[in-house]
Amino acid sequence: MESRAKNLFFALLRRALWGGEVCLDYDAVSREVLLAVVDISKSQTVNGLISCELLEDEELSALFSEKDREVLTNWVMVNWLTSQKISQTLAKVAKELHGHRIRPVLLKGAGVAHYYLRPELRQCGDIDIYVAPESFLKACEVLDAMADVEGDKNDITAFKKHYRVHIEKTHVELHRFTDIYSPKSLDKVYQKISDEGTSEGLVPVGFYGVE
């Protein structure tokens, strides 16, 4: 059953991410296999995407109990509502930074989601944005003024990767560096690549009218 569940999981994930037809062997699928698929989706934090696929596929959905379908629907709605909340907060943060001539670059989950067919189903719990090192301290001040409570100011001028605040109950991480590596010789190479990747060929993404 484990092999069947994994194969079905990846087939559904491909369809959720990129669309198109996938070959599903419905005769080899049972409720137990589907529940195993759901467990995999939770462990890989794609339960919103997979739940939507399972609900919209009539043959697969029919194998679930009514209670199962309620749980799947709830996961889809939670992902959608969280996505809307994060997008609203992100729009406000970006607008405020733009007002101080600071250009934020969206990282990780919320950024990757824009390559999905349904970005709103990407499971995200926070916002990760990058600003150029020379803008970092000013950006910290801007976000601190927006924060629900005072941000983490410990050693803010030290060699630190990111700065954390909560804005409208949403966790926001402002990155001075996309990552830090050891030894310093490796980090120097990485920072050069990272600088190019966060300053050239960027794809604009919009949230509530703000890019």
Side-chain angles (χ1 to χ4, degrees), residues 3 12 16 20 27 31 34 54 63 92 123 127 129 149 161 187-189 193 195 211:
S3 176
L12 293 174
D27 292 334
R31 179 174 180 270
L34 292 182
L54 292 171
L63 295 173
K92 292 178 181 178
Q123 187 171 329
I127 295 171
I129 53 178
V149 295
K161 190 173 74 169
D187 188 62
K188 184 177 180 180
V189 174
I193 296 171
D195 182 62
E211 287 191 353

Side-chain angles (χ1 to χ4, degrees), residues 45 49 79 83 108-110 112-113 116 118-124:
T45 64
L49 290 167
N79 274 269
S83 174
K108 300 186 179 181
V112 172
Y116 289 19
R118 295 177 173 176
E120 69 278 6
L121 295 183
R122 164 76 191 211
Q123 187 171 329
C124 297

